[in-house]
Amino acid sequence: MTAREASFCKALFFGVVAEDLVFPFPGVDDSFLTSVHERVARVRKFVEAEVDSVAIDREARVEPVTLARMRELGLFGLSVPTDLGGSGLSRLAAARVVAELSAGDASLGLVSVAHEAIALRAILAFGSPEQRQRWVPPLARGERLMCFALAEESSGTDAGTIRTIAERTADGWLLEGDKPWVTNAANADVFVVLARTSRLDEGHKPRLTPFIVERGPGVSVEPRRSTLGLRGAGVGRVALRGVRLPPDAILGEVGRGFRVAMEVMTDARVSLSAWLFGQLRALVGWTVARVQDRRSFGRAIGEFPILKNKVAKMLADAFAVESMTFLTAGLVDRHVDDISIESSVSRLAASEALWRTANEAMQIAGGSGYDATLPVERRLRDARGGLVVDGTNETLRCFVALAGMRGPGERLTDVERAMVEPVKGFGLLRDFALRKVREAMRRERMTQAHPLLSREAVIFEEGTDALHRAADRALRDHGREIAEMQQTQVRIANVVIDLYALAACITRTSRAIEQRGESGARREIDLTGMFASAARGRMQANLGRLEHADDALRKSISARTYTDGGYPFDVI
């Protein structure tokens, strides 16, 4: 497989359908299937019988007895190898358990994910053998809890503006700073802290280094922050005042913290997508019960076409998000090296589908939904956190587009260099010309989709070809300035989200047809068809706006509004 095909989504920017990466749709090995079902059933019983989500939301804390039960159920080390104290589940199986826990309570799901999929994963991926042996077993067993301290008041998703600093001393490091938004901080006694190990000069590129820090002298967690939702996730401010650390507290290498943060978050987005899907599934279940129980004009409101349309869209969204999430988890299990775009678009799609579903569920509840006694009110507040939990969706969209266009951009740069010295670059120019001829004559095919999904496969193929051409045109039109063309980036990212979601639906439904036949897979076929039709419309709209955009006008309007200081008109 070539470098451009090492990532399914990155290959799409070249117009390549790297279908061997997504076919067949992944699953749990038969020898483990029964045990995974049993584990999921135990978690479901736990959240139904023992978890009081109303109390967690009201008190803004998770009781120690609940954390103890989570420990007994192995919810703090699901995918950690058994020889390090974990359950040793595949990432797909672990994601299924996370989804079940989150369907019961979003805060508990986030506590589990923040501990294992983010903070503990950093030690597993970047720790030395000695660090892994020392820290991982008690953390995987839940004997100690952990969190990842990255964001600061002035930084948000811009890690380059981090102010927390670590200075060398004769016997190690001295740590000073504040981390105001740390999920699970209230429960944790071990922290992964990203700090500068370079000067704080304005404009000076920082060198970030991760440290393993224990709660102790100089480390304090201030009272839980008052949040809109996810109130049991233990979000708090971690204050670091003259914290002395030994030399072996460094996680990885000095100055390589940005890489640690990016790789950890890439991996964590698989679990975050499962966390979001669990909430989405719970909301769908609540809504379906509501539309059948509530009556108006002599019949259940679910019989009205408008309500049926809302429920159908919820189902199609949920099916696509579930397919994306577990396809991406399967890529991790297959040790595919680069899932940075796949995990990002899964998290994007999941968070926005959850928010749409929560909003529609609230609307279906009518005036009752505005009453805090119904669970949909809490679910709506919890859902809002998914749009910013690991960075804003706007930032993630820019990442998806720029990361995807990097490969085609480098190829165009090579061609430009070859044109300067055509004799030396003859081979490259010849290959480029031949490639453009082939692209003009044919598009890539999805050959492994089941024949019953031929229409959906064609929509995917046409979308892939259109994405490739749009990215190529954007790079030619804007060159290096593409980094500033954020509206262009958003539209391209939106197309990638729909393409990956559609590919996930197609491969999942192809497997269902092969296993159960057309009649047995009818529901999957219908949902894939519905999603494909909607995705085609969205992709056409986004691609169309690349050529017929009013971005300059919008920039001008906003600039004048900034000068005005707000809305400048008064009708009288």
CSV table of all heavy atoms in Angstrom, one decimal, residues 93-139:
chain,number,residue,atom,x,y,z
A,93,ALA,N,-14.5,-3.7,21.0
A,93,ALA,CA,-15.3,-4.2,22.2
A,93,ALA,C,-15.3,-3.2,23.3
A,93,ALA,O,-16.4,-3.0,23.9
A,93,ALA,CB,-14.7,-5.5,22.7
A,94,ALA,N,-14.2,-2.5,23.5
A,94,ALA,CA,-14.1,-1.5,24.6
A,94,ALA,C,-15.1,-0.3,24.2
A,94,ALA,O,-15.8,0.2,25.1
A,94,ALA,CB,-12.7,-1.0,24.8
A,95,ALA,N,-15.1,0.0,23.0
A,95,ALA,CA,-16.0,1.1,22.5
A,95,ALA,C,-17.5,0.8,22.8
A,95,ALA,O,-18.3,1.6,23.1
A,95,ALA,CB,-15.8,1.4,21.1
A,96,ARG,N,-17.8,-0.5,22.5
A,96,ARG,CA,-19.2,-1.0,22.8
A,96,ARG,C,-19.5,-0.8,24.3
A,96,ARG,O,-20.7,-0.4,24.6
A,96,ARG,CB,-19.3,-2.4,22.3
A,96,ARG,CG,-20.7,-3.0,22.5
A,96,ARG,CD,-21.8,-2.3,21.7
A,96,ARG,NE,-23.1,-2.7,22.1
A,96,ARG,CZ,-23.9,-2.2,23.0
A,96,ARG,NH1,-23.4,-1.2,23.8
A,96,ARG,NH2,-25.1,-2.7,23.2
A,97,VAL,N,-18.6,-1.2,25.1
A,97,VAL,CA,-18.9,-1.0,26.6
A,97,VAL,C,-19.0,0.4,27.0
A,97,VAL,O,-19.9,0.8,27.8
A,97,VAL,CB,-17.8,-1.7,27.4
A,97,VAL,CG1,-18.0,-1.5,28.9
A,97,VAL,CG2,-17.7,-3.2,27.1
A,98,VAL,N,-18.1,1.3,26.4
A,98,VAL,CA,-18.2,2.7,26.7
A,98,VAL,C,-19.5,3.3,26.3
A,98,VAL,O,-20.2,4.1,27.0
A,98,VAL,CB,-17.0,3.5,26.0
A,98,VAL,CG1,-17.3,5.0,26.0
A,98,VAL,CG2,-15.7,3.2,26.7
A,99,ALA,N,-20.0,2.9,25.1
A,99,ALA,CA,-21.3,3.3,24.6
A,99,ALA,C,-22.4,2.9,25.6
A,99,ALA,O,-23.4,3.7,25.8
A,99,ALA,CB,-21.6,2.8,23.2
A,100,GLU,N,-22.4,1.7,26.1
A,100,GLU,CA,-23.4,1.2,27.0
A,100,GLU,C,-23.4,2.1,28.3
A,100,GLU,O,-24.4,2.4,28.8
A,100,GLU,CB,-23.2,-0.2,27.3
A,100,GLU,CG,-24.4,-0.9,28.0
A,100,GLU,CD,-25.6,-0.9,27.1
A,100,GLU,OE1,-25.5,-1.1,25.9
A,100,GLU,OE2,-26.7,-0.7,27.6
A,101,LEU,N,-22.2,2.3,28.8
A,101,LEU,CA,-22.1,3.1,30.1
A,101,LEU,C,-22.6,4.5,29.8
A,101,LEU,O,-23.3,5.1,30.7
A,101,LEU,CB,-20.6,3.1,30.5
A,101,LEU,CG,-20.3,4.0,31.7
A,101,LEU,CD1,-21.0,3.4,33.0
A,101,LEU,CD2,-18.8,4.1,32.0
A,102,SER,N,-22.3,5.1,28.7
A,102,SER,CA,-22.7,6.5,28.4
A,102,SER,C,-24.1,6.6,28.1
A,102,SER,O,-24.7,7.7,28.4
A,102,SER,CB,-21.9,7.0,27.2
A,102,SER,OG,-20.5,6.8,27.5
A,103,ALA,N,-24.8,5.5,27.6
A,103,ALA,CA,-26.2,5.5,27.4
A,103,ALA,C,-26.9,5.7,28.7
A,103,ALA,O,-28.0,6.3,28.8
A,103,ALA,CB,-26.7,4.3,26.7
A,104,GLY,N,-26.3,5.1,29.8
A,104,GLY,CA,-26.9,5.2,31.1
A,104,GLY,C,-26.6,6.5,31.7
A,104,GLY,O,-27.5,7.2,32.3
A,105,ASP,N,-25.4,7.0,31.6
A,105,ASP,CA,-25.1,8.3,32.2
A,105,ASP,C,-23.9,8.9,31.5
A,105,ASP,O,-22.8,8.3,31.5
A,105,ASP,CB,-24.8,8.2,33.7
A,105,ASP,CG,-24.6,9.6,34.4
A,105,ASP,OD1,-23.5,10.1,34.4
A,105,ASP,OD2,-25.6,10.1,34.9
A,106,ALA,N,-24.0,10.1,30.9
A,106,ALA,CA,-22.9,10.7,30.1
A,106,ALA,C,-21.7,11.1,31.0
A,106,ALA,O,-20.6,10.9,30.5
A,106,ALA,CB,-23.5,11.9,29.4
A,107,SER,N,-22.0,11.5,32.2
A,107,SER,CA,-20.8,11.9,33.1
A,107,SER,C,-20.0,10.7,33.4
A,107,SER,O,-18.7,10.7,33.4
A,107,SER,CB,-21.3,12.5,34.4
A,107,SER,OG,-21.9,13.8,34.1
A,108,LEU,N,-20.6,9.5,33.7
A,108,LEU,CA,-19.8,8.3,34.0
A,108,LEU,C,-19.0,7.9,32.8
A,108,LEU,O,-17.9,7.5,33.0
A,108,LEU,CB,-20.7,7.2,34.5
A,108,LEU,CG,-21.5,7.4,35.8
A,108,LEU,CD1,-22.3,6.2,36.2
A,108,LEU,CD2,-20.6,7.9,36.9
A,109,GLY,N,-19.6,8.0,31.6
A,109,GLY,CA,-18.9,7.6,30.4
A,109,GLY,C,-17.7,8.5,30.2
A,109,GLY,O,-16.6,8.0,29.9
A,110,LEU,N,-17.8,9.8,30.5
A,110,LEU,CA,-16.7,10.7,30.3
A,110,LEU,C,-15.6,10.5,31.3
A,110,LEU,O,-14.4,10.6,31.0
A,110,LEU,CB,-17.2,12.1,30.3
A,110,LEU,CG,-16.2,13.2,29.9
A,110,LEU,CD1,-15.5,12.9,28.5
A,110,LEU,CD2,-16.8,14.6,29.9
A,111,VAL,N,-16.0,10.2,32.6
A,111,VAL,CA,-15.0,9.9,33.6
A,111,VAL,C,-14.1,8.7,33.1
A,111,VAL,O,-12.9,8.7,33.2
A,111,VAL,CB,-15.7,9.6,34.9
A,111,VAL,CG1,-14.7,8.9,35.9
A,111,VAL,CG2,-16.2,10.9,35.5
A,112,SER,N,-14.8,7.6,32.6
A,112,SER,CA,-14.1,6.4,32.1
A,112,SER,C,-13.1,6.8,31.0
A,112,SER,O,-12.0,6.4,30.9
A,112,SER,CB,-15.1,5.4,31.7
A,112,SER,OG,-14.4,4.3,31.1
A,113,VAL,N,-13.7,7.5,30.0
A,113,VAL,CA,-12.9,7.9,28.8
A,113,VAL,C,-11.7,8.8,29.2
A,113,VAL,O,-10.6,8.6,28.7
A,113,VAL,CB,-13.8,8.5,27.8
A,113,VAL,CG1,-12.9,9.1,26.6
A,113,VAL,CG2,-14.8,7.5,27.2
A,114,ALA,N,-11.9,9.8,30.0
A,114,ALA,CA,-10.9,10.7,30.4
A,114,ALA,C,-9.7,10.0,31.1
A,114,ALA,O,-8.6,10.3,30.9
A,114,ALA,CB,-11.4,11.8,31.3
A,115,HIS,N,-10.1,9.0,31.9
A,115,HIS,CA,-9.1,8.2,32.7
A,115,HIS,C,-8.3,7.3,31.7
A,115,HIS,O,-7.1,7.4,31.7
A,115,HIS,CB,-9.8,7.4,33.8
A,115,HIS,CG,-8.9,6.4,34.4
A,115,HIS,ND1,-8.1,6.7,35.5
A,115,HIS,CD2,-8.8,5.1,34.2
A,115,HIS,CE1,-7.4,5.6,35.8
A,115,HIS,NE2,-7.8,4.6,35.0
A,116,GLU,N,-9.0,6.4,31.1
A,116,GLU,CA,-8.3,5.4,30.3
A,116,GLU,C,-7.9,5.8,28.9
A,116,GLU,O,-6.7,5.7,28.5
A,116,GLU,CB,-9.2,4.1,30.2
A,116,GLU,CG,-8.4,3.0,29.4
A,116,GLU,CD,-9.3,1.9,29.0
A,116,GLU,OE1,-10.5,1.8,29.5
A,116,GLU,OE2,-8.9,1.1,28.2
A,117,ALA,N,-8.9,6.3,28.1
A,117,ALA,CA,-8.6,6.6,26.7
A,117,ALA,C,-7.7,7.8,26.5
A,117,ALA,O,-7.1,7.9,25.4
A,117,ALA,CB,-9.9,6.8,26.0
A,118,ILE,N,-7.6,8.7,27.5
A,118,ILE,CA,-6.8,9.9,27.3
A,118,ILE,C,-5.5,9.8,28.2
A,118,ILE,O,-4.4,9.6,27.7
A,118,ILE,CB,-7.6,11.1,27.5
A,118,ILE,CG1,-8.8,11.2,26.6
A,118,ILE,CG2,-6.7,12.4,27.3
A,118,ILE,CD1,-9.7,12.4,26.9
A,119,ALA,N,-5.7,9.9,29.5
A,119,ALA,CA,-4.5,10.0,30.3
A,119,ALA,C,-3.7,8.7,30.4
A,119,ALA,O,-2.5,8.7,30.2
A,119,ALA,CB,-5.0,10.4,31.7
A,120,LEU,N,-4.4,7.6,30.7
A,120,LEU,CA,-3.7,6.3,30.8
A,120,LEU,C,-3.1,5.9,29.4
A,120,LEU,O,-2.0,5.3,29.4
A,120,LEU,CB,-4.7,5.2,31.3
A,120,LEU,CG,-4.2,3.8,31.5
A,120,LEU,CD1,-2.9,3.8,32.3
A,120,LEU,CD2,-5.2,3.0,32.2
A,121,ARG,N,-3.8,6.2,28.4
A,121,ARG,CA,-3.3,5.9,27.0
A,121,ARG,C,-2.0,6.6,26.8
A,121,ARG,O,-1.1,6.1,26.0
A,121,ARG,CB,-4.4,6.3,26.0
A,121,ARG,CG,-4.0,5.9,24.6
A,121,ARG,CD,-4.1,4.4,24.3
A,121,ARG,NE,-5.3,3.8,24.8
A,121,ARG,CZ,-5.5,2.5,24.8
A,121,ARG,NH1,-4.5,1.7,24.3
A,121,ARG,NH2,-6.6,2.0,25.3
A,122,ALA,N,-1.8,7.8,27.3
A,122,ALA,CA,-0.6,8.5,27.1
A,122,ALA,C,0.6,7.7,27.7
A,122,ALA,O,1.7,7.7,27.1
A,122,ALA,CB,-0.7,9.9,27.8
A,123,ILE,N,0.4,7.1,28.9
A,123,ILE,CA,1.5,6.3,29.5
A,123,ILE,C,1.7,5.1,28.7
A,123,ILE,O,2.9,4.6,28.4
A,123,ILE,CB,1.2,6.0,30.9
A,123,ILE,CG1,1.1,7.3,31.8
A,123,ILE,CG2,2.3,5.1,31.6
A,123,ILE,CD1,0.7,7.1,33.2
A,124,LEU,N,0.6,4.4,28.3
A,124,LEU,CA,0.8,3.2,27.5
A,124,LEU,C,1.5,3.5,26.2
A,124,LEU,O,2.4,2.6,25.7
A,124,LEU,CB,-0.6,2.6,27.1
A,124,LEU,CG,-1.3,1.8,28.2
A,124,LEU,CD1,-2.7,1.5,27.8
A,124,LEU,CD2,-0.5,0.5,28.5
A,125,ALA,N,1.3,4.6,25.5
A,125,ALA,CA,1.9,4.9,24.2
A,125,ALA,C,3.3,5.5,24.3
A,125,ALA,O,4.1,5.2,23.5
A,125,ALA,CB,0.9,5.8,23.4
A,126,PHE,N,3.5,6.3,25.3
A,126,PHE,CA,4.8,7.0,25.4
A,126,PHE,C,5.6,6.7,26.6
A,126,PHE,O,6.7,7.2,26.7
A,126,PHE,CB,4.5,8.5,25.3
A,126,PHE,CG,3.9,8.9,24.0
A,126,PHE,CD1,2.5,9.1,23.8
A,126,PHE,CD2,4.7,9.1,22.9
A,126,PHE,CE1,2.0,9.4,22.6
A,126,PHE,CE2,4.2,9.5,21.6
A,126,PHE,CZ,2.8,9.6,21.5
A,127,GLY,N,5.1,6.0,27.6
A,127,GLY,CA,5.9,5.7,28.8
A,127,GLY,C,7.0,4.8,28.5
A,127,GLY,O,7.0,3.9,27.6
A,128,SER,N,8.0,4.8,29.4
A,128,SER,CA,9.1,3.9,29.3
A,128,SER,C,8.6,2.6,29.9
A,128,SER,O,7.6,2.5,30.6
A,128,SER,CB,10.3,4.4,30.2
A,128,SER,OG,9.9,4.5,31.5
A,129,PRO,N,9.3,1.5,29.7
A,129,PRO,CA,8.9,0.2,30.3
A,129,PRO,C,8.7,0.3,31.8
A,129,PRO,O,7.8,-0.2,32.4
A,129,PRO,CB,10.0,-0.8,30.0
A,129,PRO,CG,10.6,-0.2,28.7
A,129,PRO,CD,10.5,1.3,28.8
A,130,GLU,N,9.6,1.1,32.5
A,130,GLU,CA,9.6,1.2,33.9
A,130,GLU,C,8.3,2.0,34.3
A,130,GLU,O,7.6,1.7,35.3
A,130,GLU,CB,10.8,2.0,34.4
A,130,GLU,CG,12.1,1.2,34.3
A,130,GLU,CD,12.6,1.2,32.9
A,130,GLU,OE1,12.2,2.0,32.0
A,130,GLU,OE2,13.5,0.3,32.5
A,131,GLN,N,8.0,3.1,33.5
A,131,GLN,CA,6.8,3.9,33.8
A,131,GLN,C,5.5,3.1,33.6
A,131,GLN,O,4.6,3.1,34.4
A,131,GLN,CB,6.8,5.1,32.9
A,131,GLN,CG,7.8,6.2,33.3
A,131,GLN,CD,7.8,7.3,32.3
A,131,GLN,OE1,7.6,7.1,31.1
A,131,GLN,NE2,8.1,8.5,32.8
A,132,ARG,N,5.5,2.2,32.6
A,132,ARG,CA,4.3,1.4,32.4
A,132,ARG,C,4.1,0.4,33.5
A,132,ARG,O,3.0,0.2,34.0
A,132,ARG,CB,4.4,0.7,31.0
A,132,ARG,CG,4.2,1.7,29.8
A,132,ARG,CD,3.9,0.9,28.5
A,132,ARG,NE,5.1,0.2,28.1
A,132,ARG,CZ,6.0,0.7,27.3
A,132,ARG,NH1,5.9,1.9,26.8
A,132,ARG,NH2,7.1,0.0,26.9
A,133,GLN,N,5.2,-0.2,33.9
A,133,GLN,CA,5.1,-1.2,35.0
A,133,GLN,C,4.7,-0.5,36.3
A,133,GLN,O,3.9,-1.1,37.1
A,133,GLN,CB,6.4,-1.9,35.2
A,133,GLN,CG,6.7,-2.9,34.1
A,133,GLN,CD,5.6,-4.1,34.1
A,133,GLN,OE1,5.1,-4.5,35.1
A,133,GLN,NE2,5.4,-4.6,32.9
A,134,ARG,N,5.1,0.7,36.6
A,134,ARG,CA,4.8,1.3,37.8
A,134,ARG,C,3.4,1.9,37.9
A,134,ARG,O,2.7,1.7,38.9
A,134,ARG,CB,5.8,2.5,38.0
A,134,ARG,CG,5.5,3.3,39.3
A,134,ARG,CD,6.4,4.5,39.4
A,134,ARG,NE,5.9,5.4,40.6
A,134,ARG,CZ,6.4,6.6,40.9
A,134,ARG,NH1,7.4,7.1,40.1
A,134,ARG,NH2,6.0,7.2,41.9
A,135,TRP,N,3.0,2.6,36.8
A,135,TRP,CA,1.8,3.3,36.8
A,135,TRP,C,0.6,2.6,36.3
A,135,TRP,O,-0.6,2.7,36.8
A,135,TRP,CB,1.9,4.6,36.0
A,135,TRP,CG,2.9,5.6,36.6
A,135,TRP,CD1,4.2,5.9,36.1
A,135,TRP,CD2,2.7,6.4,37.7
A,135,TRP,NE1,4.8,6.8,36.9
A,135,TRP,CE2,3.9,7.2,37.9
A,135,TRP,CE3,1.7,6.6,38.6
A,135,TRP,CZ2,4.1,8.1,38.9
A,135,TRP,CZ3,1.8,7.5,39.7
A,135,TRP,CH2,3.0,8.2,39.8
A,136,VAL,N,0.7,1.8,35.2
A,136,VAL,CA,-0.5,1.3,34.5
A,136,VAL,C,-1.3,0.3,35.3
A,136,VAL,O,-2.5,0.4,35.4
A,136,VAL,CB,-0.1,0.7,33.1
A,136,VAL,CG1,-1.3,0.0,32.5
A,136,VAL,CG2,0.5,1.7,32.2
A,137,PRO,N,-0.7,-0.7,36.0
A,137,PRO,CA,-1.5,-1.7,36.7
A,137,PRO,C,-2.5,-1.1,37.7
A,137,PRO,O,-3.7,-1.4,37.6
A,137,PRO,CB,-0.5,-2.6,37.4
A,137,PRO,CG,0.7,-2.6,36.4
A,137,PRO,CD,0.7,-1.2,36.0
A,138,PRO,N,-2.1,-0.2,38.6
A,138,PRO,CA,-3.1,0.3,39.6
A,138,PRO,C,-4.1,1.3,38.9
A,138,PRO,O,-5.2,1.3,39.3
A,138,PRO,CB,-2.2,1.1,40.6
A,138,PRO,CG,-0.9,1.4,39.9
A,138,PRO,CD,-0.7,0.2,39.0
A,139,LEU,N,-3.7,1.9,37.8
A,139,LEU,CA,-4.6,2.8,37.1
A,139,LEU,C,-5.6,2.0,36.3
A,139,LEU,O,-6.8,2.3,36.3
A,139,LEU,CB,-3.8,3.7,36.2
A,139,LEU,CG,-3.0,4.8,36.9
A,139,LEU,CD1,-2.0,5.4,35.9
A,139,LEU,CD2,-3.9,5.9,37.4
